[in-house]
């Protein structure tokens, strides 16, 4: 048994070392000279003990392998900031790990702000080096450019100085981080494809289906905005593949199908469900649609009350234009999906609300709002309202709590409601924007649709002064400056 262990261990170590064989190791002594030898280099400044660095390393190594032979060439390198690369890290003001920077030869060009997984690193770096649109000067180059699993856009121009060509190149520079662009004025290519002075968006074979065209020809004007809209509106197709890196591209109203999306290991299975989504979705053009890997978006499933997604069938979740949430409760089929969309279209569905139970007793001076009673306690209460959005674990919230309770006592007889809301256990309604804790909003009784974020001090006096100044009707116990009013003789 011992002998087997001794044999396996070196093999494991060899495999671990092989993972990073394509990543260039830099030190202070070699930093300048090695970068000068390489046209474009992404450098990772790291510390061996850093957990984020350890998680990034295998993705970084895989990206380096995928970039071998790229044109123009792209090299991935790393610098240990705790040992031989201390001076280099100091020179480039590295203060956290990992820090990634892009170099042209040995000249710093820009910070890296892209994804942290292999495919994303590759795509981002390819978009950052060389021209935004690749020139396809031969038929072979044109054919090779389309041999990809990515959506591609190609401009076909008899003259590369035409107004449409200039608009195209402007858009390619704007969208280079997300879209793969090529262009050609070569007669042999123009004659072969029979397309001149236009732009074509091509879907890769992996995403092609019988419900939408494999390629789309631009038929708009020479305006940059029109070209930009053509690319962005058609890029993802009827149901785009939504990932962590591009999730912000998908806007509401949005319907997402969550299942085991995997175009590396299970293309056929992934497209089996995607095609069924598309077949139904094509009849509802007012909505945006996407598919997403459920394991990558468990946090979104949690937001809809789904702790565990069992089975292989898609889970359908939706947000309307007001960001309200809706869930397909029935098991997925094209029939149940179509019925769900028709009901959503007709406004016949009850929105899903993540909410704590409505408190049985809510007679305190500080009212407790939850998602289910928010309208009653805030929107429709007929009073000016100060509401605190808090998190139970938040230290600043705990510090504010006794002050907030005292504020409720001080204003108990006023036409003002003091309310608190646990934003971790309840959905925060629109239009409130809560990105940290505590967040306070002032809600005038005659302008409930326009809450005002409170940016003042957190002491009792600060809160009273603010409310006294901004209350719709003057307070009974305080003047507009927040000073206590003396009671009249008939009140004594």
């Amino acid at each position: 048994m011992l002998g087997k262990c001794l044999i396996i261990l070196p093999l494991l170590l060899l495999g671990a070392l092989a993972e990073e064989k394509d990543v260039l190791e830099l030190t202070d002594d070699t930093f300048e000279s090695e970068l000068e030898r390489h046209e474009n280099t992404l450098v990772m400044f790291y510390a061996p003990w850093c957990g984020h660095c350890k998680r990034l390393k295998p993705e970084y190594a895989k990206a380096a392998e995928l970039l071998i032979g790229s044109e123009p060439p792209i090299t991935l390198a790393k610098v240990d900031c705790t040992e031989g690369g201390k001076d280099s890290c100091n020179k480039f003001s590295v203060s956290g790990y990992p820090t990634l920077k892009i170099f042209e030869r040995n000249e710093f060009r820009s910070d890296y702000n892209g994804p942290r997984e292999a495919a994303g690193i590759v795509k981002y770096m390819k978009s950052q080096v060389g021209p935004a649109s690749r020139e396809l000067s031969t038929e072979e180059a044109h054919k090779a450019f389309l041999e990809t699993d990515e959506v591609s856009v190609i401009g076909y121009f008899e003259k590369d100085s035409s107004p449409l060509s200039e608009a195209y190149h402007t858009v390619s520079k704007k969208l280079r981080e997300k879209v793969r662009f090529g262009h050609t004025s070569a007669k042999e290519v123009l004659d072969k494809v029979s397309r001149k002075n236009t732009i074509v968006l091509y879907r890769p074979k992996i995403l092609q289906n019988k419900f939408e065209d494999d390629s789309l020809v631009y038929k708009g004007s020479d305006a940059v905005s029109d070209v930009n809209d053509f690319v962005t509106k058609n890029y993802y197709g009827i149901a785009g593949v939504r990932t962590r890196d591009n999730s912000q591209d998908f806007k509401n109203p949005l319907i997402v199908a969550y299942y085991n999306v995997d175009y590396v290991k299970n293309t056929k299975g992934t497209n089996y469900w995607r095609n069924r989504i598309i077949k139904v979705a094509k009849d509802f053009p007012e909505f945006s649609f996407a598919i997403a890997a459920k394991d990558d978006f468990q946090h979104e499933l949690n937001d809809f009350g789904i702790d565990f997604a069992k089975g292989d069938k898609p889970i359908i979740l939706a947000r309307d234009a007001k960001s309200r949430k809706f869930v397909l409760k029935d098991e997925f089929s094209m029939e149940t999906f179509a019925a769900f969309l028709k009901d959503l279209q007709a406004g016949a569905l009850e929105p899903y609300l993540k909410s704590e139970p409505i408190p049985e007793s809510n007679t305190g001076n500080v009212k407790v709002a939850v998602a289910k009673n928010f309208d009653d306690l805030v929107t429709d209460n007929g009073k000016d309202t100060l509401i605190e959005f808090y998190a139970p674990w938040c230290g600043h919230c705990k510090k504010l709590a006794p002050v907030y309770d005292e504020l409720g006592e001080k204003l108990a007889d006023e036409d003002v409601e003091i309310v608190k809301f646990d934003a971790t256990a309840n959905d925060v309604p629109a239009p409130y924007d809560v990105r940290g804790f505590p967040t306070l909003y002032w809600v005038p009784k005659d302008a409930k649709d326009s809450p005002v974020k409170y940016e003042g001090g957190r002491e009792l006096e600060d809160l009273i002064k603010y409310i006294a100044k901004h209350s719709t009707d003057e307070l009974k116990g305080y003047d507009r400056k927040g000073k206590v009013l003396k009671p009249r003789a008939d009140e004594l």
Side-chain angles (χ1 to χ4, degrees):
M1 189 70 178
L2 179 60
K4 289 183 179 179
C5 292
L6 291 175
I7 292 170
I8 292 171
L9 184 58
L11 290 175
L12 291 174
L13 291 174
L14 181 62
L17 292 172
E19 285 182 355
E20 296 191 69
K21 62 183 175 60
D22 301 312
V23 178
L24 184 64
E25 182 81 50
L26 302 176
T27 65
D28 291 334
D29 293 335
T30 63
F31 193 91
E32 294 282 339
S33 59
E34 283 295 318
L35 288 185
E36 179 60 33
R37 291 179 53 243
H38 296 86
E39 192 172 331
N40 305 286
T41 307
L42 175 63
V43 178
M44 175 174 66
F45 298 86
Y46 75 99
W49 46 260
C50 160
H52 293 295
C53 303
K54 292 176 182 177
R55 285 190 289 274
L56 176 59
K57 274 189 172 184
E59 294 293 328
Y60 199 70
K62 180 64 175 176
E65 180 185 350
L66 293 172
L67 284 167
I68 294 174
S70 61
E71 187 57 42
I74 301 169
T75 303
L76 266 58
K78 61 181 180 179
V79 181
D80 184 348
C81 293
T82 67
E83 292 293 338
K86 289 182 179 179
D87 292 342
S88 299
C89 296
N90 289 334
K91 178 180 178 180
F92 292 100
S93 303
V94 174
S95 57
Y97 309 114
T99 293
L100 289 87
K101 296 179 181 290
I102 301 171
F103 291 80
E104 288 184 7
R105 300 296 179 184
N106 58 13
E107 293 294 325
F108 167 71
R109 201 189 83 187
S110 66
D111 290 321
Y112 174 89
N113 297 308
R116 298 297 175 98
E117 44 82 27
I121 294 170
V122 170
K123 184 174 182 179
Y124 185 91
M125 286 305 299
K126 284 185 174 180
S127 76
Q128 294 297 306
V129 301
S133 176
R134 185 183 301 179
E135 184 174 7
L136 309 174
S137 56
T138 65
E139 187 180 333
E140 290 75 18
H142 178 267
K143 182 180 179 181
F145 186 76
L146 290 175
E147 291 176 352
T148 177
D149 288 340
E150 296 181 52
V151 173
S152 300
V153 182
I154 300 179
Y156 300 93
F157 310 111
E158 288 184 293
K159 293 183 179 180
D160 204 31
S161 58
S162 68
L164 181 59
S165 174
E166 291 178 358
Y168 177 80
H169 286 295
T170 298
V171 172
S172 71
K173 292 173 184 175
K174 179 181 178 182
L175 301 178
R176 66 181 295 165
E177 292 182 9
K178 296 181 179 180
V179 182
R180 189 168 179 266
F181 290 96
H183 67 278
T184 184
S185 295
K187 188 176 185 303
E188 65 173 288
V189 180
L190 298 180
D191 291 343
K192 178 71 174 179
V193 299
S194 300
R195 283 170 175 152
K196 298 179 181 179
N197 302 317
T198 191
I199 300 162
V200 182
L201 182 147
Y202 294 93
R203 304 200 190 286
K205 186 176 181 180
I206 198 172
L207 295 180
Q208 291 175 9
N209 59 81
K210 62 182 180 181
F211 305 108
E212 56 187 344
D213 294 333
D214 297 343
S215 61
L216 295 173
V217 179
Y218 176 67
K219 298 178 181 179
S221 72
D222 297 338
V224 170
S225 58
D226 288 346
V227 175
N228 185 85
D229 287 347
F230 168 74
V231 176
T232 55
K233 289 180 180 179
N234 294 298
Y235 182 79
Y236 290 110
I238 295 175
V241 182
R242 186 166 172 264
T243 67
R244 290 174 180 173
D245 295 329
N246 69 15
S247 60
Q248 297 305 311
D249 293 346
F250 295 83
K251 308 300 181 184
N252 296 339
L254 174 66
I255 291 88
V256 182
Y258 300 85
Y259 61 100
N260 294 317
V261 174
D262 190 339
Y263 275 104
V264 177
K265 298 178 181 178
N266 189 17
T267 300
K268 185 176 180 180
T270 298
N271 278 334
Y272 174 85
W273 292 115
R274 180 173 183 261
N275 290 341
R276 279 153 179 73
I277 297 295
I278 291 174
K279 186 175 183 179
V280 177
K282 65 181 175 59
D283 296 326
F284 297 87
E286 66 269 44
F287 299 126
S288 296
F289 293 86
I291 63 170
K294 61 184 181 182
D295 290 345
D296 290 342
F297 289 93
Q298 184 59 52
H299 61 288
E300 292 187 352
L301 297 177
N302 291 343
D303 282 342
F304 283 76
I306 299 172
D307 296 325
F308 176 70
K310 60 182 179 180
D312 296 329
K313 292 186 177 182
I315 293 170
I316 304 296
L317 306 178
R319 286 184 182 268
D320 66 8
K322 296 180 181 179
S323 202
R324 293 181 300 176
K325 300 188 289 189
F326 301 88
V327 181
L328 172 59
K329 297 178 181 178
D330 298 320
E331 185 176 70
F332 176 85
S333 69
M334 287 190 289
E335 292 73 24
T336 60
F337 186 38
F340 172 77
L341 293 176
K342 287 177 182 177
D343 287 342
L344 183 62
Q345 192 179 49
L349 294 176
E350 186 73 24
Y352 169 78
L353 275 180
K354 182 172 76 171
S355 179
E356 294 177 292
I358 296 175
E360 293 182 8
S361 175
N362 210 355
T363 57
N365 295 321
V366 176
K367 298 294 188 289
V368 178
V370 297
K372 289 180 179 178
N373 71 354
F374 190 89
D375 284 345
D376 291 338
L377 284 185
V378 179
T379 309
D380 302 324
N381 65 4
K383 295 182 178 182
D384 293 335
T385 304
L386 182 70
I387 180 167
E388 176 204 4
F389 296 92
Y390 73 95
W393 44 259
C394 161
H396 294 293
C397 303
K398 292 176 181 178
K399 183 178 179 181
L400 177 62
V403 176
Y404 207 65
D405 288 339
E406 189 174 356
L407 176 68
E409 292 177 15
K410 295 288 185 182
L411 302 183
D413 296 327
E414 303 287 355
D415 192 32
V416 175
E417 202 76 272
I418 307 301
V419 180
K420 63 181 180 180
F421 183 96
D422 182 350
T424 67
N426 300 273
D427 281 337
V428 176
Y432 298 90
D433 183 21
V434 178
R435 301 187 183 184
F437 304 110
T439 295
L440 285 80
Y441 273 92
W442 173 249
V443 193
K445 67 179 180 180
D446 297 328
K448 294 292 186 177
D449 292 335
S450 303
V452 179
K453 195 170 186 178
Y454 174 78
E455 304 284 7
R458 302 286 174 81
E459 299 300 328
L460 179 64
E461 184 180 356
D462 299 321
L463 294 166
I464 289 177
K465 281 184 177 181
Y466 181 91
I467 294 172
K469 180 180 178 179
H470 292 90
S471 60
T472 303
D473 302 313
E474 191 167 349
L475 300 180
K476 292 180 288 186
Y478 300 87
D479 65 18
R480 285 294 186 184
K481 294 183 179 180
K483 293 183 179 179
V484 177
L485 294 173
K486 294 181 180 179
R488 299 193 307 271
D490 59 351
E491 293 178 334
L492 295 174

